[in-house]
Every structure is written in C-alpha cells, then in structure tokens.
Amino acid sequence: MTTDRPNPPDPTEATTVADFVKALTQLRQWAGDPSLSRLRSLGGQTLTPDGDTVDALPKSTTSQLLRQTERLPRWDFVKAFVTACLRYCDHPAELIPAEVQRWRTARTALTEPDVAAPPEPSTSENAGRSEPDPAVELLARRVAREEDRARKGLLGGHSIAPLSFGPSPVPVDHDDDSAREIIDDLRSISRFFGGLDPRRLLVVGESGAGKTMLAIELVLQLVEPFVAADGPPPDRAMVPVRLNAARWTSGTPFEPWLVDQIVQNFGLGPEDATRLVRDRRVLPVVDGLDELDPEPVTGPPRRAIGLLNELNRYSDLTGRHPGAVVVTCRADRHAELLAARAGLAGAVRIHLHGLTVAQIRSYLASRWPDGHPCGPHRDGVDAALSGPSATAVHLALATPWRLTLTATAVESGADPAELLRAGDDPDPRDGAARIAQRLLDSYIPAATGLTPRTASGTPYRPDQVRRWLRTLAAHLRWQDAAATGTKRPPPGLTAIDIVPHLLWPIGGRRRVRALHCLCCLVLAVIAMLAFWTGSAVDEPGDLRDRISLGEGVTLGLMAAWVGIATGLSLSQWPAAAGGRANVPRARRVVGGLCGALAGASAGVPGGLAGFALTGGEVFGPGFAVAAGAAGGSVFGTVIGVTAAGRGPERMTVAEAVRSEPVTLLGFGLCGALTGLPPLRLADAGPVPMALGVAGAFLLAFALGVVFRIATGGWSKDAELAHPREALHRNPLIGVAFGLTGGEAAFLVFVMNQGVLAALACAVTGGVAFGLAFGAIAWSRTMVGLTVAAARGLLPLRLWAFLDWACEARLLRVSGATYQFRHRELQDLLTPPAAQGRRD
C-alpha cells in the first residue's frame, strides 16, 4: 500500500445502477484490491433491528452485491464498503467522511432522480398524495397482531436459529461458510424482497428449514411501517397477508379466494377486501405450497400445479406484468413441480440453507448460556458434532425444527450422547434418519414432561397425549379427503386446520348426526309443549273431538316448526359464525338504549294492532301499550347491544335472507305461534286470525333478518380470534335470542296463566328453542365430542387439552384454527388410512 496515488473514483459520474456498482468495484481496485476477509475486518460491525451485532460486510454478501449490476446496494453496505476501502489504503482519516458523503449523494441521485427538479406547489403535492385508507390501516394492524402471535407460538419464547439463504441449494454437510452464496439472512429479508422486480419470490427449503418462519418474519418486517408510530407508510404500499396454501380449493380463482381469506381471517368487509385486492394493496404470502397434495403423491402434484397456474394469471394493476406474490415450498415438492414443468413465472427463487456447525453451536449457546441448567449438555452436543459420526449428527440437526426437537429432549432430561447416537452404518444419511426418528419419538414425552397441566386434575401422560394427537392427525387426513370430494367445503376443512366445530365426525358421522337429530327433535318438542302448556288455550282432551280451525292452525304451525328445527339438525356442516369483538362498555350501553327506544316505538303500534284484532276481548289498551313497549324494548335492547359490536361492514337484507332462508322461516313460524293464542282466546274470525298470524309472521321474520345482520362479524376494536370463539358464542347467542322470544311468549302466557307458571313455560321454551334452533353447530359438536370421548378417542375436556398442547408446543394457533406445530410431527402421528375412516 502506498500514499502516492490518484484521487479515488468519482461516484457522481454514475448515471445508472450498473455504473454505480462498477464505481464500487473500481474503488476496491484503486484501494489495492483488498481481500473480502480484509474488507470484512475493516468494515466493522453493525446493529440489526433485533439488537444483534453482525459484520457489516460479510464476505459472501459483498461478493454477491458487487456482481449484481441491476440492483442498487443498500446504503449501510455502501457506507461500510467505502470506509473499508479507504482505510485499507491509508486514506487520510479526516477526509473519509467527505468521501463517504460524496458516495451517499451519488446513490441518492439514483434513487431520487427528480430531487433537483423545482418543487411543485404545495397544493399539487397534497392533491397527488392520497389520504390514508382506513381499510388498509385496519388490515395492517390485524395482520401485525396475528403474525406476532404466530411467531411466538412457533418460537415458544426462544430465539430462532440463524437462517441464511442463497440463489442455489447448498449441501447440508458442506460446512465451509466461505463457499456459500449467502445473499442475506432472516433479519433483512424485506430489503432483499424490496429489491426484486417484479416482486415475486419463491422460497424453497427442506422440511423444517424455517420456510414458515421466514414468511412470518417477512410479513412482520413489511407491515412494520403501517403500525410504526414515527410516520405514515409509503404511498400505495402493499399490506402483506400470509395465507395457508392448503386452504385453497382446486378450481377456485385466486383473487376471489384471496378476498374470502381476508374476510374470514381478518374481518374486513367483502367490499373493502375486494377493493384492496383489486387495487393491489395486498401482498399475498402463500405459505406451504407443498401441503396441497397428499403424501405420497401419485403422479404430478396437480393441486399445487393448479394454484401455480392461478398465481401465474395474477397480474399487477396494469395487467401487463406479474403481480407481487411470495410462495414457500418444500424442496422435494419443488423438484416434482420442476419435473412437471410447473413454476412461478417471473419469480426469483431462493433456497434456505442448512445450519452450519457454528450456527448450531451459536444457537445452543444462546438458548443455554453459562449458568443454565442445560449448559453442561452443550459439551455433549459438541462432542457428537465432532465425533466419529459428526456428518450424520450434523445432517440430523441442520434445520431449526430438528434443533428444537433436540433442545426440548435434552431439557426434559435426555442424554445427548444417547439421543444423537448414529450407529455403525457407514452411510451418514441412514444414521441421520435414525437420529431424526429418535428425536421425533422423544418429542411428545419431552414436551409433556416439561409442561405440567395448568388446569386442575391429574397431569397428562405421554401415551394419552400421543393417542389423542393421533386421533386428530387421522381426522385431518379425513378432512383432506372430504374436502376433495366436496364441491363447496366449509372454511377450515383442510389437511392442516383443527377447527373445533368441524371435529364432530371423529365420533362417527352417521352415529353423531342421528344422535344430534334426536336431541334436536326432543328439544323442539319440549319447546312446543312449553308453548302449548303456557298458552293454556287447549286441553289435551280437546283434540279428541273434531279439530277446530284454531286448533288446526296451531298444530300445523307447531308441526312445521318442529320439522324445520329437526331438518336444520341434519345439515351436513353446521356453521359456527359469530363476531369476535372487544367493544367498549359505553358503546354497548348506547347501543342497548338506542335499541330499546326503537323497539318500544315499534312495539306499541304492534300491541295496539293486537288489541284491535282481538276487539278488546282479551286485554285492554293499557296492557296493549305496556306489553308492546316492554316486548319491543327487550328485543331492541338485545339487538342493539349485539349490533354495537359490528363494524361498518354489515350485510344487506337480501344477503341475510339468501344466507339462511330456512332459519328465517322458523323465526316467522315462532312469531305466528306467539300471536295466535290471543286471537283464539278472543274467538276471532278467519279474517282477523289470518291478518294477525300473517302480521306476527312478518314481524318475527323481520326481527330474524335484523338478528342475522346484527350478529357475527367484526368490529374495528376486534380482538384476535381464538379458535373456539365462534363455537363459544353460538349457544350464547342462540339462548339469548331464545329467551328474548320467551319474553314475548311470557306476555302472551300471562293473559291466561299465573305469573309463575307463565314464567316457567317461557323460560323452558326459550332455552329449548335456543339450543334446538339457534345453537346447531354447538350441539352437533358437543354430541360428537361426547361420543368420541366415550369411545376413548379424545379427552372429555378437549378444549383444556388443546390449550395445553399449544402451551407444550405440540400444537399452535393459526388464525381461528389449531394446527400441529410442524407437518413432520403431524405425519408421524397420522395412522394408516384404514384407521382414519369415519362411519
């Protein structure tokens, strides 16, 4: 190195990105062509957003970026590179800051070519900048919260093993870091993705290599500007949304499916979701392309190919370029797709690299620092990694998932030497397979031992946990086959999602449906007997004689309602829908008061209409006004309190009628039944009776429509959905509205009964009505799980077990469903096909 040299290259002469990268190469040559190792040493270290200290100029990163003449290097790299080159050639220290600034000015000129142009008037600037979109902000906030929960569910509070990736796969047993083409690591995946044009990325990796973790990290990094408090996100930025590919149904166009997923998982209204997808304000991150087709696949993976074809038709706003998308896929499935000549058009493919020995040791040192009870076991793992079977052990531990299995087993008391024993087989891959199988077999006992039950009762035994998880794994395979054979499968009927209200077939499909039908029939008959007794218009002996018009109408309406309730219980897939809202109490109170006022205003005319139709023979005008006001206010209060939890994305009346016409017909029949007894007590003629019954039917039908619109959905203050939330709300909403209807029945019963008898009949009928008619999904699930528990297939307290399994990191919560912690664990527990049948 000498000090007598010409001035360094001038970066301000660069007019393109290629010229700028070429200037960086010329600077290195001007400085004396320092080696990559020397540049890494002189470049120093930098602090990542996660607080970790890393090299500012990793050798492989420097080599890669200097070869990419179409991509502008990020500023922190340019700064470190220029500083390192100047230090290498002993450039005067006081001149280095000015030289670095010159490079910054040159780079800025390439990223902002119009910076020297005269500024536009402020009115033009404001007119050209769009206002924040509330739907975008709402979606971003919910995505951030959901992915944060998913990340914590995967990591269990521990740092993830370091992930690196490059343009080509690297053999797992290749432990030479300098030979790896590492573009970047997990912490800066968003910067890498931001440099792609078009923004289409295909992530390929072995099973357990961290594909889902990378997808989650990418989503969190991209969504951070939307939720950060230090300024608005870039205009027209896209909100990343992670999607489970297994939830896609063959033949479904991608854009409508994307809209449905946003509505179901994040609670946006259909109109907002459609608009955001249409305007390309959503970045789809499709995770698990390999999970679409069953294992082992016979022939080409057709479902994965079908989804890729849909993604290849997905374009940007202009329709002339591919639309932005990220896809993750397992390496072996990707090879099958390549053999079938199927791929993601226009995408940059990256491969997740296996962990090096140094990375494994670094992770264990972070998880078991000095002083940790398992700290001494690091030596046992190190011994296995450097012993006679080092290659097999490294192959077995080269993914974050397998490393997690190892750490869990050791923390539960396993001996690393025994756990990582490869045997005498000369083929390292056979030895690695034996170690991997041993790690998987030890995971359930280890996780069970490390996680005592939080609920009261005896701790779970590993054999119990394995048996119950095996049942759930078999059910998931059955779900996959059932969804394939169903034209419109319900949401959640996939090969990976454990949805509480879809678990009932475990008890046996025909058996459970028959028992559920019988239960609903009994409840419906109880409700009608309570009505018959409470109205006290007829005596059982009256039916022995000729049936009058009033008796015939009453019996016909009762039989029709029982038939509808029983028929609904036979539906193939009862849906448990319901809002998940954390609504302030003040809003609930205001909604209830407004509903009460509106209901009372509507109820008084209804009561007076009943007074007119009965000719004042049964009750007077005072009772008509009081009863109408009381009944209407109760209905209005319940609807108002429920509707207060809804956001602006309400369905229309036509949509409500189309969604559940039979249920609304049942509401109408109940209204007609409630309005009939006063007319019969007054001996009303056919015309007044017809008018009264029709009016009561229409009023109850309208209330059913309002009830359908008011319930379900999300509010702007919605909390994250728990998988059991919708099922938990199902009986509460059903019984609440059943008792509300019972209040109207009580006002009718008290005309001809004592208060206590009328109250008993109203409460009995209201509860039976709610369970038989308004809680079909809940009752079907309870029947199915009770039968499954009686057969020893599942625990009786299944919900407590599922929550415990998530705490033990055997399962995880994904949106509104449970899933196995890893697909490899699910596959291990899946029994042979013959044992997964549902009779």
Side-chain angles (χ1 to χ4, degrees):
M1 294 181 287
T2 72
T3 58
D4 185 15
R5 61 174 70 249
N7 292 330
D10 185 5
T12 59
E13 297 179 356
T15 58
T16 64
V17 172
D19 292 340
F20 186 86
V21 176
K22 183 178 179 181
L24 288 173
T25 304
Q26 292 173 347
L27 176 65
R28 180 185 178 191
Q29 296 171 350
W30 171 86
D33 205 16
S35 66
L36 295 179
S37 297
R38 186 61 177 151
L39 287 175
R40 181 178 64 179
S41 175
L42 292 172
Q45 294 185 319
T46 185
L47 196 65
T48 68
D50 294 337
D52 298 326
T53 302
V54 297
D55 290 332
L57 295 176
K59 295 187 296 183
S60 53
T61 301
T62 303
S63 174
Q64 183 72 24
L65 290 179
L66 292 179
R67 294 199 304 267
Q68 289 185 334
T69 57
E70 75 284 354
R71 179 185 176 195
L72 187 65
R74 58 186 186 274
W75 167 241
D76 55 352
F77 169 84
V78 174
K79 178 181 178 181
F81 183 86
V82 172
T83 302
C85 289
L86 295 177
R87 286 176 178 173
Y88 179 82
C89 65
D90 295 329
H91 197 71
E94 65 272 15
L95 299 180
I96 290 180
E99 189 67 21
V100 170
Q101 183 60 40
R102 189 163 65 134
W103 283 87
R104 182 168 192 165
T105 301
R107 185 183 181 280
T108 302
L110 294 175
T111 57
E112 301 175 1
D114 297 326
V115 69
E120 297 287 338
S122 58
T123 55
S124 299
E125 290 180 0
N126 293 335
R129 187 173 183 82
S130 60
E131 292 294 325
D133 189 333
V136 170
E137 295 178 348
L138 182 62
L139 177 60
R141 186 167 68 250
R142 288 178 176 165
V143 166
R145 294 165 67 187
E146 174 61 31
E147 293 308 298
D148 178 65
R149 183 173 69 175
R151 188 179 192 274
K152 292 174 180 175
L154 279 174
L155 298 183
H158 297 288
S159 299
I160 192 172
L163 291 177
S164 58
F165 57 86
S168 59
V170 174
V172 174
D173 54 354
H174 198 309
D175 199 32
D176 182 6
D177 288 345
S178 62
R180 297 194 175 201
E181 292 183 274
I182 302 175
I183 294 177
D184 239 316
D185 58 18
L186 188 66
R187 302 181 186 91
S188 54
I189 179 62
S190 63
R191 288 203 302 267
F192 173 78
F193 179 74
L196 301 180
D197 186 22
R199 293 189 178 183
R200 289 170 75 87
L201 179 65
L202 177 62
V203 182
V204 179
E206 300 296 334
S207 177
K211 299 181 293 298
T212 296
M213 194 64 239
L214 182 139
I216 292 174
E217 197 68 24
L218 174 61
V219 169
L220 286 173
Q221 291 179 21
L222 292 177
V223 83
E224 185 175 0
F226 291 93
V227 297
D230 56 353
D235 196 22
R236 300 295 304 172
M238 293 185 291
V239 179
V241 174
R242 188 168 61 94
L243 312 162
N244 280 310
R247 295 173 181 168
W248 179 76
T249 304
S250 296
T252 304
F254 179 71
E255 288 190 45
W257 177 74
L258 176 57
V259 170
D260 289 341
Q261 294 298 299
I262 294 173
V263 172
Q264 293 171 15
N265 298 334
F266 301 103
L268 263 70
E271 293 183 1
D272 282 338
T274 301
R275 175 174 57 81
L276 295 186
V277 171
R278 182 195 62 216
D279 295 345
R280 297 302 185 259
R281 301 301 308 276
V282 175
L283 169 65
V285 180
V286 184
D287 187 23
L289 182 67
D290 50 278
E291 295 178 344
L292 268 168
D293 294 275
E295 296 287 352
V297 65
T298 56
R302 301 191 182 279
R303 293 170 67 182
I305 293 174
L307 180 53
L308 284 176
N309 290 336
E310 287 296 327
L311 292 174
N312 289 338
R313 285 191 281 268
Y314 183 67
S315 63
D316 66 0
L317 272 175
T318 68
R320 298 170 52 239
H321 306 287
V325 69
V326 179
V327 177
T328 71
C329 185
R330 204 173 61 237
D332 55 352
R333 179 52 47 86
H334 178 253
E336 295 170 354
L337 291 169
L338 287 180
R341 298 184 178 181
L344 185 62
V348 170
R349 185 174 71 236
I350 61 173
H351 295 260
L352 290 177
H353 293 164
L355 301 175
T356 66
V357 172
Q359 289 173 326
I360 294 172
R361 288 170 174 160
S362 174
Y363 170 78
L364 294 179
S366 174
R367 182 160 179 160
W368 301 332
D370 294 336
H372 191 279
C374 293
H377 291 305
R378 295 202 311 263
D379 296 336
V381 179
D382 285 344
L385 286 169
S386 57
S389 304
T391 302
V393 174
H394 182 207
L395 285 171
L397 303 186
T399 64
W401 164 240
R402 297 280 176 79
L403 198 52
T404 299
L405 295 179
T406 304
T408 304
V410 172
E411 288 169 358
S412 70
D415 180 9
E418 177 62 26
L419 196 66
L420 302 179
R421 178 173 48 83
D424 300 328
D425 199 297
D427 189 346
R429 297 194 176 276
D430 291 340
R434 280 195 295 272
I435 294 174
Q437 186 63 43
R438 194 178 302 123
L439 291 174
L440 281 169
D441 291 338
S442 66
Y443 185 55
I444 292 178
T448 305
L450 289 172
T451 311
R453 279 195 61 182
T454 56
S456 59
T458 306
Y460 295 122
R461 300 193 311 271
D463 61 309
Q464 291 177 317
V465 174
R466 187 179 184 89
R467 182 173 72 252
W468 296 332
L469 291 179
R470 186 178 171 89
T471 298
L472 293 174
H475 178 68
L476 290 179
R477 183 179 52 199
W478 178 87
Q479 281 193 167
D480 187 33
T484 303
T486 304
K487 185 176 182 180
R488 295 179 61 87
L493 195 72
T494 71
I496 61 173
D497 291 315
I498 302 172
V499 183
H501 69 267
L502 298 181
L503 294 178
W504 60 266
I506 293 177
R509 291 197 68 196
R510 290 191 293 270
R511 181 186 297 110
V512 170
R513 292 181 73 181
L515 288 175
H516 180 226
C517 178
L518 179 61
C519 289
C520 285
L521 176 62
V522 171
L523 288 171
V525 170
I526 290 175
M528 291 298 100
L529 287 177
F531 172 82
W532 178 282
T533 304
S535 61
V537 178
D538 299 301
E539 296 292 338
D542 295 342
L543 301 179
R544 297 173 185 171
D545 302 328
R546 184 174 60 88
I547 297 177
S548 65
L549 175 62
E551 291 172 342
V553 173
T554 301
L555 292 175
L557 292 176
M558 291 172 61
W561 188 86
V562 170
I564 287 178
T566 306
L568 288 174
S569 71
L570 293 173
S571 58
Q572 186 174 11
W573 295 109
R580 285 93 66 170
N582 179 29
V583 182
R585 182 177 299 178
R587 187 186 300 178
R588 293 285 196 195
V589 172
V590 172
L593 291 175
C594 293
L597 292 174
S601 300
V604 170
L608 293 175
F611 171 75
L613 288 173
T614 57
E617 297 291 334
V618 182
F619 52 85
F623 183 86
V625 172
S633 63
V634 171
F635 273 103
T637 299
V638 174
I639 292 175
V641 169
T642 306
R646 291 301 311 270
E649 60 278 359
R650 305 182 189 276
M651 65 171 59
T652 64
V653 173
E655 291 172 339
V657 173
R658 286 196 301 267
S659 64
E660 296 183 11
V662 179
T663 303
L664 295 177
L665 179 60
F667 271 107
L669 290 178
C670 284
L673 275 170
T674 305
L676 187 58
L679 295 169
R680 293 189 59 197
L681 289 172
D683 291 326
V687 175
M689 183 177 293
L691 291 175
V693 169
F697 176 90
L698 293 176
L699 178 61
F701 189 92
L703 288 173
V705 172
V706 175
F707 162 59
R708 179 71 183 93
I709 295 174
T711 57
W714 295 58
S715 76
K716 284 186 175 295
D717 304 298
E719 290 286 355
L720 291 173
H722 190 277
R724 295 199 309 276
E725 184 69 26
L727 189 64
H728 176 70
R729 287 172 59 90
N730 190 243
L732 295 180
I733 293 176
V735 172
F737 275 86
L739 291 175
T740 305
E743 182 264 350
F746 170 77
L747 295 175
V748 172
F749 296 165
V750 82
M751 298 176 189
N752 203 28
Q753 285 271 29
V755 173
L756 293 180
L759 182 62
C761 291
V763 171
T764 302
V767 172
F769 169 85
L771 293 178
F773 194 69
I776 298 175
W778 178 83
S779 56
R780 172 76 65 84
T781 303
M782 292 301 103
V783 171
L785 296 185
T786 301
V787 174
R791 299 173 63 187
L793 300 174
L794 289 174
L796 186 60
R797 299 185 61 191
L798 177 62
W799 309 142
F801 170 72
L802 293 177
D803 289 340
W804 171 88
C806 291
E807 183 183 351
R809 309 299 169 192
L810 295 168
L811 301 178
R812 61 190 175 99
V813 173
S814 176
T817 70
Y818 296 98
Q819 293 180 356
F820 275 88
R821 168 75 181 275
H822 195 273
R823 186 61 185 262
E824 192 173 44
L825 177 63
Q826 178 182 333
D827 292 341
L828 171 73
L829 295 169
T830 303
Q835 299 182 30
R837 296 176 58 187
R838 296 284 179 267
D839 57 348

